Amino acid sequence: MHLTFLGTGGGAPSLQRNVTSIAFTRALSGETWLFDCGEGTQLQFMRSSLKPGKLDKIFITHLHGDHIFGLPGLLTSRSMAGLTSPMTVYGPRGLKTFVETALSISGSYTDYPLNIVEIEAGWTLDDGEFRISAWPLSHPVECFGYRIEQHDKPGLLDAERLKAEGVPRGPWFQQLKQGECVTLEDGRVINGADYLGSATPGKKLAIFGDTAPTEVALQLAADVDLMVHETTLEAAMMEKANGRGHSTTLQAAEVAKRAGAKRMIATHFSSRYLAKDMSRLLAECQTIFPRTELASDLAVFTV
């Protein structure tokens, strides 16, 4: 699995970075989910190696412009590109009105099935491989963080042991691989779970929207393999950051440490910070959580 950062800025785009958007891609299928869609996201998408036809879900954390102003354009361009596969957009209350109004008054439309789902805290979606849930954050408007949990992968079937016990090969092996019970022609009942190796734990990720410090963050990011958290401002500007519903470098790193995250990627940087400032922001994070990395536009991270 990969995360591609299409925009890492907060508030407004700058010459250093675009505003927020993150693509989550499954390595084998190429299927992509998008988290937030700030202004210019579709242009960044074209600059990346991502494939528009593989994008089928978009998750919006909140309705501030730097997280959604790219959404109407992306949805419309998808039609103009001739893509007809369904698209579902998830996000807070008001998302449906925003999208439908933008498309209506601009005379735009989609040639594919578009489903807009307005979610609440505690909402979950399970597609059989991943479970994703929404967690309430602390921001001036309703805002969510998303926790993505991959289901554990079943262990390998011990075919040699089955052979030694006289279990013939056949189509029932697929059922045994799923841990199911199979009745053979001789009447024996074979429980596949008894012949499976240890399961491989699935990966866990937490992608935060904008937030001031909140205890919910520790549950959202508990024991994740990777946590993506905003670090809008440096530690010295804590009062300003928190007053506007944002976190500092040290506060984000503290969440990663206390939640037991394995890695942290910092993003959503104020436009006041130039390239020369980034090493200082990273150093602040690493004083609390050494396994911190900084996102940059079009950077790709393996999960």
Side-chain angles (χ1 to χ4, degrees):
M1 295 175 284
H2 305 285
L3 287 183
T4 303
F5 285 78
L6 300 175
T8 57
S14 69
L15 294 177
Q16 283 73 42
R17 57 188 74 92
N18 199 50
V19 283
T20 300
S21 184
I22 305 169
F24 169 77
T25 305
R26 308 183 194 194
L28 293 179
S29 67
E31 182 179 346
T32 299
W33 296 350
L34 198 63
F35 290 84
D36 286 331
C37 190
E39 175 187 351
T41 291
Q42 61 176 318
L43 183 58
Q44 294 288 80
F45 208 98
M46 289 186 282
R47 288 172 173 152
S48 75
S49 61
L50 300 169
K51 296 177 172 56
K54 294 289 187 177
L55 176 63
D56 68 344
K57 292 181 179 64
I58 300 175
F59 299 88
I60 300 299
T61 61
H62 65 291
L63 301 186
H64 276 159
D66 56 331
H67 294 255
I68 64 167
F69 280 170
L71 186 56
L74 184 147
L75 295 175
T76 303
S77 293
R78 196 171 185 267
S79 271
M80 296 174 68
L83 298 174
T84 58
S85 57
M87 168 70 77
T88 305
V89 185
Y90 304 88
R93 288 167 293 183
L95 177 63
K96 187 177 179 68
T97 297
F98 169 75
V99 172
E100 291 182 346
T101 301
L103 295 182
S104 175
I105 66 175
S106 64
S108 304
Y109 58 89
T110 61
D111 284 329
Y112 53 84
L114 174 61
N115 186 28
I116 300 173
V117 179
E118 295 188 342
I119 64 174
E120 297 179 348
W123 168 90
T124 60
L125 170 72
D126 195 326
D127 71 354
E129 183 179 1
F130 291 94
R131 179 180 182 270
I132 182 167
S133 53
W135 298 70
L137 299 178
S138 177
H139 202 54
V141 299
E142 187 176 39
C143 184
F144 297 113
Y146 291 101
R147 183 179 172 97
I148 308 166
E149 298 171 289
Q150 183 184 33
H151 293 299
D152 294 346
K153 298 178 182 178
L156 297 176
L157 186 67
D158 192 342
E160 290 302 315
R161 181 182 162 203
L162 287 167
K163 179 180 178 182
E165 295 182 9
V167 178
R169 281 191 171 275
W172 47 83
F173 263 45
Q174 289 300 320
Q175 293 172 262
L176 295 177
K177 287 179 180 178
Q178 300 302 317
E180 300 174 4
C181 289
V182 171
T183 302
L184 302 179
E185 293 182 354
D186 61 9
R188 284 184 294 165
V189 177
I190 306 297
N191 185 353
D194 295 336
Y195 295 85
L196 293 176
S198 299
T200 301
K203 298 287 187 179
K204 299 186 289 292
L205 298 85
I207 298 179
F208 281 71
D210 294 358
T211 187
T214 171
E215 286 298 309
V216 171
L218 301 181
Q219 302 171 58
L220 168 57
D223 301 316
V224 294
D225 295 277
L226 180 61
M227 182 187 92
V228 179
H229 200 293
E230 64 128 303
T231 53
T232 303
L233 293 169
E234 61 195 286
M237 302 185 72
M238 179 181 68
E239 185 175 346
K240 182 175 183 178
N242 296 170
R244 297 181 177 180
H246 292 292
S247 296
T248 67
T249 49
L250 296 187
Q251 290 173 328
E254 186 67 25
V255 170
K257 180 180 179 180
R258 292 178 61 196
K262 295 181 176 65
R263 295 167 62 198
M264 168 180 147
I265 300 177
T267 188
H268 198 271
F269 310 109
S270 166
S271 58
R272 72 175 57 235
Y273 298 116
L274 305 178
K276 64 182 178 63
D277 301 311
M278 302 313 290
S279 60
R280 177 165 55 87
L281 298 183
L282 177 60
E284 287 192 351
C285 291
Q286 290 181 336
T287 60
I288 300 293
F289 192 75
R291 296 180 300 281
T292 300
E293 302 166 84
L294 295 190
S296 59
D297 281 24
L298 301 181
V300 180
F301 295 84
T302 299
V303 180

